[in-house]
């Protein structure tokens, strides 16, 4: 199990479903498409694509989230090929998909250049990609910054996930692999809570990498400090006034294409 399976990430994913809806819409998924959802989590985008009649493969490296996705598909009587796999080394044929999606998923790949290579390799010439990622300076990257002093450092040499939410940085990441950005737009998802305590509790409960460190932080007397810092961030970013807490999560929605005449690496 990875840290994604320790916290209740599925509860967060449920609140982020609007971005998956937009990604599937922007990719113009139809029943004629073969769709790949990379780092699919609990299945938001993959299930929406399947509901449109597409043939869908959903890949994630967290078994607990894939199990949730399978159960959701069963309940809704939808067919999706769920596979255990890593975005940096997909065990899939090259040029096999007319649509490639990733909603707040591939941005967390340990090797971002390798992940970009895999997105391009799996996308057929003339295929479409729709990617959603948190923008630099938005709430989620700010939360990462607030929690960083309490958590193990990221692997050396890695780039921040919000690199995928910066238009210029993303173009520099994707274009060498033959993927051309076509439309780029900023959007926001809003999390609503009764008060700051409820907001902080939810953010901690759904963050497996935080939950994993809770015991050690409590033993060292730093857990209360983490909660206090997160509470301060929520207070700073709250847009809800006195009667509720509203947190706006800004993200970049990118539609990219692989030109029909392009040669697909590794195909």
């Amino acid at each position: 199990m990875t840290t994604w399976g320790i916290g209740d990430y599925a509860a967060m994913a449920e609140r982020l479903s609007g971005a998956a809806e937009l990604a599937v819409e922007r990719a113009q998924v139809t029943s004629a498409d073969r769709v790949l959802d990379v780092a699919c989590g609990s299945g938001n985008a993959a299930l929406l694509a399947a509901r449109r009649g597409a043939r869908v493969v959903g890949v994630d490296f967290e078994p607990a989230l894939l199990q949730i996705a399978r159960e959701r598909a069963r309940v809704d009587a939808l067919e999706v090929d769920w596979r255990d796999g890593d975005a940096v080394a997909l065990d899939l044929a090259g040029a096999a998909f007319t649509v490639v999606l990733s909603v707040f998923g591939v941005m967390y790949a340990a090797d971002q250049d390798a992940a970009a290579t895999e997105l391009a390799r799996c996308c057929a010439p003339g295929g479409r990609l729709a990617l959603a990622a948190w923008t630099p300076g938005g709430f989620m990257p700010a939360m990462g910054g607030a929690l960083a002093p309490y958590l193990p450092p990221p692997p050396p040499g890695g780039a921040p996930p919000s690199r995928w939410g910066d238009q210029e940085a993303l173009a520099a990441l994707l274009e060498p692999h033959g993927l051309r950005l076509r439309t780029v737009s900023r959007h926001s998802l809003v999390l609503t809570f009764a008060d700051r305590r409820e907001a902080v509790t939810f953010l901690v409960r759904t963050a497996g990498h935080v939950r994993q460190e809770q015991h050690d932080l409590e033993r060292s007397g730093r857990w209360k400090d983490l909660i206090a810092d997160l509470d301060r961030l929520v207070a700073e970013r709250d847009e809800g006034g006195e009667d509720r807490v509203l947190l706006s999560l800004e993200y970049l929605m990118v539609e990219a294409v692989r030109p029909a005449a392009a040669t697909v690496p590794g195909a």
Side-chain angles (χ1 to χ4, degrees):
M1 178 180 292
T2 71
T3 57
W4 293 97
I6 295 174
D8 185 10
Y9 180 73
M12 175 65 83
E14 184 177 352
R15 301 238 193 161
L16 306 182
S17 61
E21 293 172 4
L22 183 59
V24 170
E25 177 184 328
R26 289 292 175 86
Q28 299 179 351
V29 174
T30 73
S31 59
D33 284 310
R34 303 182 306 279
V35 177
L36 172 63
D37 185 6
V38 180
C40 64
S42 55
N44 283 351
L47 292 169
L48 288 167
R51 194 165 285 120
R52 291 188 173 207
R55 289 169 289 167
V56 183
V57 174
V59 178
D60 203 278
F61 67 3
E62 174 46 57
L65 293 179
L66 284 176
Q67 186 55 41
I68 293 171
R70 289 189 182 97
E71 178 61 16
R72 293 178 67 191
R74 185 193 67 80
V75 169
D76 291 344
L78 296 170
E79 290 190 14
V80 177
D81 182 2
W82 304 108
R83 301 193 187 186
D84 186 353
D86 195 328
V88 304
L90 296 169
D91 186 17
L92 296 166
F97 299 92
T98 56
V99 173
V100 177
L101 307 170
S102 190
V103 180
F104 310 123
V106 73
M107 64 184 290
Y108 291 108
D111 185 334
Q112 295 187 6
D113 189 65
T117 299
E118 288 295 85
L119 294 179
R121 184 182 66 80
C122 290
C123 186
R128 298 98 68 197
L129 291 89
L131 309 173
W134 305 122
T135 56
F139 179 82
M140 296 303 275
M143 177 176 162
L147 297 176
Y150 304 95
L151 304 176
S162 58
R163 177 188 185 189
W164 294 74
D166 179 283
Q167 181 175 349
E168 292 185 3
L170 185 60
L173 181 64
L174 297 183
E175 288 178 356
H177 302 290
L179 300 173
R180 178 169 54 82
L181 272 58
R182 186 159 69 179
T183 65
V184 179
S185 54
R186 290 175 179 260
H187 305 268
S188 292
L189 296 161
V190 178
L191 304 184
T192 305
F193 303 97
D195 51 36
R196 291 210 308 271
R197 180 177 181 180
E198 182 180 81
V200 171
T201 298
F202 177 83
L203 293 171
V204 170
R205 175 169 63 87
T206 57
H209 63 307
V210 177
R211 293 289 304 278
Q212 185 178 47
E213 303 301 320
Q214 182 172 349
H215 179 67
D216 288 345
L217 289 169
E218 287 176 337
R219 284 197 309 172
S220 64
R222 302 182 68 212
W223 181 251
K224 290 183 178 179
D225 295 334
L226 179 151
I227 296 298
D229 283 349
L230 188 52
D231 184 83
R232 276 191 286 273
L233 176 65
V234 170
E236 291 170 2
R237 297 295 183 113
D238 178 19
E239 300 176 9
E242 296 182 0
D243 60 337
R244 58 180 176 170
V245 169
L246 296 181
L247 299 177
S248 180
L249 280 54
E250 186 183 68
Y251 67 96
L252 199 71
M253 177 61 67
V254 174
E255 181 193 355
V257 295
R258 171 169 287 286
T263 300
V264 180

